[in-house]
Amino acid sequence: MSAAPVARPLRCRLQCRVSERLPSRYNWQLDASNTGADWYFENVRMSDAVNLPADSGANRVITQNRQVGVATVLTMPLIGYVAKDAASCGFGITKYGAQTDKDWQWRPNCGNGVKTGGSLVTGNNPADTSLAVGPSFAQAWVSALVSRYGNAANSGVRYYDLDNEPDLWWDTHRDVAPTGLKYDQLRDRTYQYAAAIKTADPAAQTLGPVVMGWTYYWHSPYDGQRQDWQTPDDRNAHGGTPLVPWYLQQMKAYELAHGKRILDFLDLHYYPAASGVALSPAGNTATQALRLNSTRSLWDPSYVDESWIASAGPDGGIVKLIPRMREWVNANYPGTKLAITEYNWGAPEHINGALAQADVLGIFGREGLDLATLWSPPQSSQPLAFAFRIYRNYNGSGGRFGETSVSAASSAQDRLAIYAAEESATGALTLVVINKTAGNLSAPLTLSHFTSGGLVQGWRYSAAQLNGITRLPDQGLSGVTFTSTYPANSITLYRVPGRRL
């Protein structure tokens, strides 16, 4: 087994972000939102603030992010409604009758919107919980943020997600949006709200369409709600073009017509679809192996997804997510950056989750993803957190994986994955090697187009010590090669002083 990093600059623009995943009906003036189907369609306060809107929950997060030097990705509601208070609910039992479940502990009048016979409550009044708003509401919020923090070009909020999973409103927010969006509706709302954001802050960056997963990359919410997969009326009315490429075409059309770009990032959510992987504990040995293998869905054109995607298609179950995103952008709206603002490979409590996360971060950098945010963050003491530390603070003193990705190849990437990057300030080469197997692996590592300037330094996180990253003894190079043994289930970072040729 061998690995050979070749020092040639690639794209590696992955940066550290915090996603402010506010609910789709967040009212920035009242610091209140609606929980939707997650919790009985109840309006709730988002913080204990009394000085509103200055001390809102959203502003608290933005302020904290600024203090620790990370950017905020703020969710901007496009649904057309925001919470009118912090006490109402969408399907009150006294108004709409008995339902199959209710908030027994806190608000027993708030039901789940399902009648005792099993049918959904329909014909309810959105005004029970919500105020109808439009793009001007969004523009006023951005203006308030600019007034408080400065504009996006000068330390203000830079990134705005165009709502959150609008493909699922017909389910998650069915009390105000019971019918799935059609292609044209999603386009028109994007035009209106993205333009409003840019009017308030021309330097702001917008991300869309923020759909939840594989199904809605290809189909409209309207077709999806009706399970209309074989003869999708809405998609067929748009030439049979899948949703995401069509959306990009429409964003390009806007720029051509108006002389300005209103969509900066193609933003998709992605959760591996195999059972027991995303948002789940480590699971048994088979599930852990599947978790580590499924990271290939982010890039590998030969990997057939090990889930329902394999039989449902399209493209024979080959996801190759980031290359596919780039292909869609290049074909339909060149210059649009790539974002995945929700992803999760599970097992934050286990070394298996740390290995998967380290592999995912390496893939993001190598494949040139521009922005990513994990849903949701691990506890600081969990193994998953150390996967981030390997890249962002491996030595406890701010040591980071390099900023410029360079080519790295392993003869067995599925077992011993390798990623490499150059430190821009020093020219040193940093490498992350992930042993994804249950046994020790030894391999020579050869450096090409690189002149070493000293001993190889190393740090390791492994199943042998889950509460910290271990400093390894320095080692020398034999010519341009050094050989190491990588313990089972381990992540190793090397730093090699020197310069590329």
Side-chain angles (χ1 to χ4, degrees):
M1 183 177 297
S2 65
V6 181
R8 58 184 180 87
L10 299 175
R11 296 189 306 163
C12 184
R13 300 185 298 273
L14 184 67
Q15 300 183 52
C16 186
R17 312 289 181 215
V18 171
S19 181
E20 177 73 68
R21 183 61 71 207
L22 297 165
S24 291
R25 284 145 72 182
Y26 179 69
N27 185 333
W28 66 275
Q29 296 172 330
L30 300 181
D31 194 32
S33 193
N34 185 277
T35 60
D38 289 343
W39 193 260
Y40 305 102
F41 301 88
E42 295 178 13
N43 284 359
V44 295
R45 282 287 303 277
M46 302 302 291
S47 75
D48 59 359
V50 295
N51 179 23
L52 293 174
D55 188 32
S56 67
N59 284 354
R60 290 181 182 185
V61 172
I62 294 167
T63 299
Q64 175 181 292
N65 290 347
R66 286 160 54 89
Q67 290 171 348
V68 296
V70 299
T72 298
V73 181
L74 192 71
T75 301
M76 179 60 67
L78 270 65
I79 196 169
Y81 292 95
V82 295
K84 70 176 185 180
D85 57 33
S88 305
C89 55
F91 298 109
I93 292 171
T94 56
K95 185 171 183 178
Y96 298 109
Q99 297 164 45
T100 59
D101 193 16
K102 62 182 180 180
D103 184 358
W104 293 89
Q105 183 175 5
W106 304 107
R107 300 183 190 176
N109 184 52
C110 296
N112 65 349
V114 182
K115 297 179 181 179
T116 54
S119 62
L120 299 179
V121 174
T122 58
N124 63 292
N125 187 354
D128 290 345
T129 59
S130 303
L131 301 171
V133 298
S136 62
F137 186 86
Q139 185 172 328
W141 188 14
V142 177
S143 295
L145 292 171
V146 170
S147 178
R148 184 175 183 85
Y149 299 109
N151 63 26
N154 294 285
S155 76
V157 175
R158 183 177 302 173
Y159 303 100
Y160 291 88
D161 251 349
L162 298 172
D163 213 292
N164 175 54
E165 300 181 350
D167 44 316
L168 296 184
W169 287 345
W170 58 267
D171 180 38
T172 55
H173 292 281
R174 66 178 185 271
D175 58 324
V176 298
T179 303
L181 290 174
K182 293 185 175 182
Y183 276 53
D184 292 356
Q185 292 172 311
L186 180 59
R187 175 200 61 200
D188 293 347
R189 291 186 190 221
T190 301
Y191 282 178
Q192 294 161 4
Y193 282 83
I197 292 168
K198 297 277 191 176
T199 297
D201 188 351
Q205 302 275 290
T206 56
L207 302 86
V210 208
V211 293
M212 61 81 60
W214 183 251
T215 298
Y216 293 102
Y217 304 167
W218 306 91
H219 297 278
S220 73
Y222 179 81
D223 288 335
Q225 181 181 13
R226 297 177 303 118
Q227 300 288 291
D228 191 1
W229 312 123
Q230 300 306 314
T231 57
D233 294 348
D234 190 31
R235 174 168 159 171
N236 288 343
H238 295 82
T241 305
L243 177 63
V244 170
W246 183 88
Y247 179 88
L248 290 167
Q249 292 168 11
Q250 302 308 299
M251 298 305 111
K252 180 179 179 181
Y254 184 98
E255 181 175 358
L256 291 174
H258 296 85
K260 69 174 182 177
R261 174 183 282 270
I262 59 167
L263 182 78
D264 299 288
F265 287 80
L266 169 61
D267 182 9
L268 305 178
H269 290 176
Y270 183 72
Y271 293 88
S275 178
V277 174
L279 302 165
S280 301
N284 59 26
T285 300
T287 299
Q288 292 180 35
L290 178 58
R291 175 173 290 109
L292 294 176
N293 204 37
S294 65
T295 62
R296 293 169 62 190
S297 65
L298 288 169
W299 67 274
D300 191 345
S302 69
Y303 177 69
V304 177
D305 205 74
E306 298 170 82
S307 73
W308 59 266
I309 289 176
S311 59
D315 206 10
I318 295 173
V319 177
K320 58 170 188 178
L321 180 63
I322 302 173
R324 186 182 300 279
M325 292 172 70
R326 183 171 299 108
E327 290 167 5
W328 278 340
V329 162
N330 290 343
N332 299 288
Y333 195 15
T336 307
K337 290 169 281 194
L338 307 182
I340 301 173
T341 58
E342 279 192 28
Y343 74 91
N344 183 289
W345 253 264
E349 80 294 347
H350 197 277
I351 185 64
N352 183 248
L355 297 173
Q357 181 63 62
D359 199 28
V360 165
L361 292 174
I363 292 166
F364 285 169
R366 185 193 67 199
E367 296 297 318
L369 190 71
D370 295 286
L371 188 154
T373 57
L374 172 67
W375 182 267
S376 57
Q379 298 175 20
S380 62
S381 61
Q382 288 183 311
L384 191 67
F386 287 93
F388 285 92
R389 291 189 181 107
I390 277 286
Y391 286 94
R392 303 294 293 175
N393 190 19
Y394 56 80
N395 60 2
S397 301
R400 297 184 177 188
F401 191 65
E403 299 88 352
T404 301
S405 178
V406 298
S407 179
S410 169
S411 60
Q413 186 75 7
D414 59 330
R415 302 175 67 231
L416 192 61
I418 183 169
Y419 304 98
E422 180 187 68
E423 290 181 359
S424 59
T426 67
L429 184 66
T430 55
L431 306 104
V432 167
V433 182
I434 307 165
N435 183 350
K436 300 166 71 172
T437 76
N440 296 346
L441 295 175
S442 295
L445 199 154
T446 302
L447 308 179
S448 303
H449 306 291
F450 182 82
T451 299
S452 172
L455 295 174
V456 178
Q457 302 169 310
W459 290 261
R460 177 169 291 146
Y461 183 71
S462 73
Q465 184 176 338
L466 293 176
N467 62 351
I469 295 171
T470 302
R471 178 72 160 91
L472 304 177
D474 294 348
Q475 64 182 106
L477 281 165
S478 176
V480 293
T481 300
F482 64 97
T483 298
S484 296
T485 296
Y486 303 95
N489 299 317
S490 66
I491 310 166
T492 303
L493 181 137
Y494 291 117
R495 182 180 183 276
V496 188
R499 292 281 180 181
R500 59 185 168 93
L501 300 178

